[in-house]
Amino acid sequence: MSARYAVIGNPIGHTKSPAIHTAFAQATGQDLTYTAIEGKRGGFAAEIDAFRAAGGMGVNITTPFKLDAFAYADRLKPVAQLAGAVNCLNFADGKAEGENFDGLGLTRDIVANLGVALRGKRILLLGAGGAARGVLLPFLHEQPEELVIVNRTLAKAIAISEQFASHGTIIATGYEALSGERAGQYDVVVNATSASLHHELPPVPASVFRSGALAYELLYGKGLTPFLRLAREAGVTRLADGVGMLVEQAAEAFAWWRGIRPETAGMINKMTVKLT
Ligand code: NDP
């Protein structure tokens, strides 16, 4: 019988994960099925218990269940532990082990796919939600010169910077502090807010970008979002959305489950939409 995997979320109709993992399985010769589960709010644990009872070996987790998955896990990898969120569960040894590959996916996309080194760079991260929390530790591992997290609700950014303090320095600030002496300072600006989902722009000044900067929008497949438009109008020529992050985190999950890492470039190319 084929090994069973799935992604769980709500809503889940938009998910690209079954197509990505099915293509990975074909490319690597792995015998598996990968389906989408529309979970009921408040019903995460029961849904996962049933999936495991039916032979499920691992799941990816998307909105709004990453905290439920964190609570469900018997064991947590360090990135997931610090992020407080799990986007991948592995049931291989009978226990539920939780990991969060969002940050690794993002750093791989920036460094390996886009060819932008993070070491010694000045990084500005917009937002302090689940996705932002997941990318901080992988960013710190790249040893940037400075890592700043800015959030509309400043208290959340401050709490995160304190929580991560033993792993490296993260400067927490509000958007108003990005003008003045912080203008023109950032080599990599990542929009990890959900503002683009509502066609909104976080109140980031167009002056934050350093010459040659990369503007990275976590949301994918939506073309030129308000944030990417702001960057382009500010003269930024390196623009990216989160499609590479999505495919790279999927490849990490696949490798963790199956012990073989699929090639990602073809899938990223296939899923990329023009940023116009
Ligand atoms: P959360 O709901 O956990 O966090 C939302 C964050 O956005 C908060 O920091 C919130 O600030 C901020 N925010 C929302 N609206 C605005 C606004 N108008 N102005 C300024 N800040 C705003 O979301 P996630 O972290 O789960 O997701 C963030 C984004 O990342 C989404 O677009 C999601 O699609 C994308 N994503 C992409 C992935 C990929 O693989 N490419 C993977 C995971 C997420 P406050 O705290 O003040 O409310």
Side-chain angles (χ1 to χ4, degrees):
M1 200 175 79
S2 304
R4 294 186 61 192
Y5 297 89
V7 58
I8 181 166
N10 188 328
I12 200 66
H14 65 285
T15 185
K16 307 270 190 254
S17 294
I20 294 172
H21 281 276
T22 302
F24 284 170
Q26 279 163 1
T28 56
Q30 295 285 304
D31 181 16
L32 61 84
T33 64
Y34 189 108
T35 53
I37 300 172
E38 184 160 281
K40 292 182 197 65
R41 287 168 197 263
F44 178 84
E47 201 83 59
I48 298 301
D49 284 346
F51 181 68
R52 290 172 76 181
M57 291 180 66
V59 284
N60 285 126
I61 299 96
T62 186
T63 309
F65 296 121
K66 291 184 185 179
L67 300 185
D68 297 271
F70 180 83
Y72 184 90
D74 300 310
R75 284 196 311 269
L76 292 162
K77 295 280 197 180
V79 173
Q81 175 82 60
L82 254 181
V86 159
N87 91 330
C88 187
L89 284 166
N90 191 343
F91 311 126
D93 67 357
K95 297 282 183 194
E97 184 161 33
E99 175 60 289
N100 190 321
F101 290 119
D102 282 340
L104 191 55
L106 176 60
T107 50
R108 278 194 72 101
D109 193 38
I110 293 175
V111 177
N113 298 341
L114 302 173
V116 176
L118 294 174
R119 193 186 180 92
K121 297 290 179 58
R122 299 170 70 86
I123 304 175
L124 176 63
L125 181 64
L126 314 178
R133 295 178 67 91
V135 308
L136 286 167
L137 195 56
F139 271 179
L140 284 172
H141 286 160
E142 296 293 318
Q143 300 183 292
E145 180 188 325
E146 181 174 283
L147 176 55
V148 175
I149 182 168
V150 58
N151 196 43
R152 186 173 60 178
T153 310
L154 178 57
K156 271 198 219 170
I158 292 172
I160 289 175
S161 70
E162 289 171 355
Q163 193 196 341
F164 280 71
S166 62
H167 297 270
T169 303
I170 299 172
I171 298 168
T173 188
Y175 283 97
E176 66 293 342
L178 295 177
S179 306
E181 65 180 22
R182 291 199 182 278
Q185 290 290 311
Y186 296 98
D187 302 293
V188 176
V189 182
V190 175
N191 184 17
T193 76
S194 54
S196 298
L197 282 171
H198 315 289
H199 310 288
E200 290 170 7
L201 181 65
V204 59
S207 58
V208 289
F209 302 99
R210 197 179 232 182
S211 167
L214 167 70
Y216 196 109
E217 169 75 72
L218 253 55
L219 187 65
Y220 58 87
K222 301 291 180 201
L224 208 62
T225 63
F227 167 72
L228 292 176
R229 188 178 300 279
L230 173 93
R232 193 178 68 174
E233 287 171 4
V236 176
T237 54
R238 286 167 139 176
L239 306 175
D241 74 3
V243 65
M245 170 180 174
L246 175 77
V247 175
E248 293 296 345
Q249 66 77 30
E252 292 299 325
F254 192 94
W256 192 35
W257 291 330
R258 307 301 303 171
I260 179 168
R261 195 177 198 283
E263 186 270 340
T264 52
M267 179 59 69
I268 294 172
N269 279 343
K270 199 168 136 192
M271 290 179 63
T272 295
V273 302
K274 274 195 157 183
L275 299 178
T276 54

